[in-house]
Amino acid sequence: MPHTTPVPPARAATRHRHWGRDLTEVAALFAAMATADLIADLVNHGPDGGTLLMTSAAALLAAAVAHLWWTRRRGRAAAAPAAGDRAAEPRTAAEPALWRLRTTVRDTPGSLGAVCTALAGSQVDIVTLQTHPLAEGTVDEFLLRAPAALTAASLVLTVADAGGTDTWLERADAHDLVDTPTRMLTLATRTALDAAELPLALRQLFGRCTIRSTPAPAAADQGGEVPQDALLDTVMRLRDPSGGTITVQRDHLPFTPTEFARARALVELDARLGVRMPGSRHVVTLPEGDELTVRRVGPEDQEAALAMHERCTAGTLALRYHGPVEDADGYLGHLLSPRFGRSLAVETASGRLVALGHLLWDGDENEVAILVEDEWQRRGIGAVLLRKLVELAAEAGRESVYAVTRATNTGMVAVMRELGLPLDYQVEDGTLVITATLPPAPSVATLPWVAGRRG
């Protein structure tokens, strides 16, 4: 029995449409021939045949010109939006997002490759990769450039499907594009030049974390137990060369042995180099014509600072230290240590200290404090010191500084207002806390080194 292949309905309909089109073309051809014969009879035998022929030719020519103009106009109108879309596409398309991602994979061949393949499948570009070996498994830290439409949850899920566990993710910026060896060398250089840079270098190395310095306990001076380095999950304790402890802590992200080794290397460098600080000086001329020098100070300046305390009245010391005047001398060891911040002094041409300014690292916050000898107050020295301390804070990447004083200390209030920065005031039980929001470092650097009317 012969096999007959059925004709698909779509193909049958196409066949019928072809026949219909052919019949239409034949009919149109006969109609055109009839019309041409009629026009020929009118031209040859009509009274105005020549005029009719010329008029028809002109009408056809006008119709052709109009059709050509209309076609070109529509073509340009259609092309303009398309070209505009293509030109605007690079500008309107969302920029790729930078992410820092850390995940733990098994220490087996192909585990890291599976994660990289999964990221590539999501159009994610791996900019840098660091590996942190553990006793079991490996922590891999990526700097990723991902499509803007890819959400954080989708990115974490992609890594989890590829075998990654304990995944941590946060947004990155252009500063993270520096490779790790270059970053370590830069931080080591900063630490070598200035002992006060060590806490800041640790913070920049580990990103969002809290750095706290604890002075050596009194028992250590009497042969007590010496602090030891320790790694405790999300907390690192490092032995400070001065005898105290530096604690580095961050939330929800354990430190790896590799990071612990990097931190210890910076601390060891600091210990080997000993106490040091930049020797830069700045000369300031007061309105009365006196020339004073502003410079960094450290533990070696404690004797000169104690002598300045002796020349200050009890009221001045009480405004500065917010406590018993007899305890003021005991604060100097902490204040002048580069581990807890940066200190500036103003000295005369003879080398006599007449003012001290401190920028203290208080966890994530930053306190500024100023002491001006009574004889030199109200001459603009405090304003000069405060501007320089604010500049140092901005250079260190800090976002704000605060000052603690009495609500009746109108001089400190005036000095803070002269900065021209946004201020926040909080008063409680007669204590005034003034917080200044800092602009970026280049903007702070433009603050004038001009002595004000108060200090």
Side-chain angles (χ1 to χ4, degrees):
M1 183 176 182
H3 176 74
T4 303
T5 303
V7 178
R11 185 177 300 175
T14 302
R15 184 183 299 171
H16 290 306
R17 284 197 298 269
H18 289 173
W19 278 105
R21 186 179 62 185
D22 294 341
L23 292 175
T24 301
E25 290 178 353
V26 171
L29 178 62
F30 278 101
M33 292 174 61
T35 302
D37 182 67
L38 177 61
I39 293 174
D41 289 342
L42 289 174
V43 172
N44 293 327
H45 305 289
D48 298 318
T51 302
L52 179 62
L53 183 61
M54 294 297 296
T55 303
S56 301
L60 289 173
L61 181 61
V65 171
H67 177 72
L68 180 62
W69 173 80
W70 178 253
T71 302
R72 290 184 176 179
R73 180 181 179 183
R74 290 188 61 186
R76 287 196 297 268
D85 292 342
R86 289 192 298 269
E89 183 177 353
R91 296 191 297 268
T92 59
E95 293 291 333
L98 285 176
W99 294 95
R100 288 181 59 204
L101 183 143
R102 177 177 290 199
T103 189
T104 303
V105 299
R106 293 176 301 168
D107 192 12
T108 57
S111 297
L112 175 58
V115 174
C116 295
T117 301
L119 291 173
S122 298
Q123 303 300 312
V124 177
D125 178 28
I126 299 175
V127 181
T128 63
L129 168 63
Q130 300 180 55
T131 59
H132 302 256
L134 302 177
E136 295 182 2
T138 302
V139 174
D140 294 320
E141 185 172 348
F142 300 86
L143 179 61
L144 305 174
R145 185 182 287 111
L150 187 63
T151 64
S154 299
L155 192 53
V156 172
L157 184 60
T158 298
V159 174
D161 291 341
T165 59
D166 298 328
T167 301
W168 168 86
L169 182 70
E170 75 168 2
R171 292 298 294 267
D173 56 29
H175 297 91
D176 294 306
L177 294 174
V178 179
D179 62 277
T180 302
T182 301
R183 177 179 297 179
M184 284 297 301
L185 288 173
T186 301
L187 297 179
T189 301
R190 288 176 52 181
T191 303
L193 294 175
D194 189 349
E197 288 286 341
L198 178 60
L200 303 177
L202 292 172
R203 182 182 178 90
Q204 186 172 348
L205 178 62
F206 299 123
R208 296 178 182 176
C209 61
T210 301
I211 311 289
R212 295 191 181 277
S213 295
T214 305
D221 299 333
Q222 304 173 1
E225 183 179 354
V226 178
Q228 298 296 322
D229 296 340
L231 175 59
L232 306 170
D233 199 32
T234 59
V235 177
M236 281 193 295
R237 290 194 178 93
L238 305 167
R239 186 174 63 253
D240 193 317
S242 63
T245 303
I246 299 176
T247 303
V248 186
Q249 182 175 4
R250 65 185 178 194
D251 298 331
H252 313 303
L253 185 60
F255 291 106
T256 65
T258 301
E259 291 176 315
F260 187 46
R262 292 171 182 170
R264 294 181 66 180
L266 284 177
V267 174
E268 183 178 354
L269 173 65
D270 179 82
R272 288 181 177 274
L273 294 176
V275 178
R276 64 215 175 275
M277 64 184 63
S280 60
R281 295 169 175 260
H282 192 93
V283 178
V284 179
T285 302
L286 299 182
E288 297 84 356
D290 295 307
E291 288 191 353
L292 302 176
T293 300
V294 181
R295 66 174 179 86
R296 287 280 298 276
V297 288
E300 67 277 9
D301 297 289
Q302 185 166 351
E303 183 177 348
L306 287 172
M308 191 189 77
H309 274 188
E310 293 293 331
R311 297 190 298 269
C312 292
T313 63
T316 295
L317 294 176
L319 278 177
R320 165 61 187 88
Y321 294 108
H322 322 296
V325 175
E326 56 270 17
D327 295 338
D329 294 350
Y331 297 133
L332 285 177
H334 174 87
L335 294 174
L336 296 177
S337 171
R339 189 66 69 242
F340 302 101
R342 297 175 180 175
S343 296
L344 298 175
V346 177
E347 63 181 11
T348 63
S350 62
R352 172 182 169 182
L353 264 62
V354 297
L356 284 173
H358 307 284
L359 172 64
L360 304 173
W361 313 132
D362 184 13
D364 293 332
E365 299 180 335
N366 321 280
E367 182 183 2
V368 288
I370 297 172
L371 174 65
V372 181
E373 188 178 325
D374 294 70
E375 182 183 343
W376 292 84
Q377 291 178 8
R378 307 291 177 177
R379 300 173 67 177
I381 295 177
V384 170
L385 273 178
L386 186 60
R387 286 188 178 95
K388 186 58 179 175
L389 293 174
V390 166
E391 182 180 333
L392 292 176
E395 289 176 355
R398 300 302 175 120
E399 298 179 353
S400 65
V401 297
Y402 72 91
V404 180
T405 187
R406 292 182 180 177
T408 56
N409 190 354
T410 57
M412 188 63 183
V413 174
V415 168
M416 293 291 288
R417 293 182 62 184
E418 287 177 8
L419 290 173
L421 299 174
L423 300 179
D424 175 73
Y425 301 87
Q426 294 183 4
V427 182
E428 184 175 352
D429 297 332
T431 299
L432 173 63
V433 179
I434 310 174
T435 302
T437 302
L438 305 184
S443 299
V444 174
T446 61
L447 288 173
W449 276 81
V450 178
R453 295 188 300 274
R454 297 180 182 269

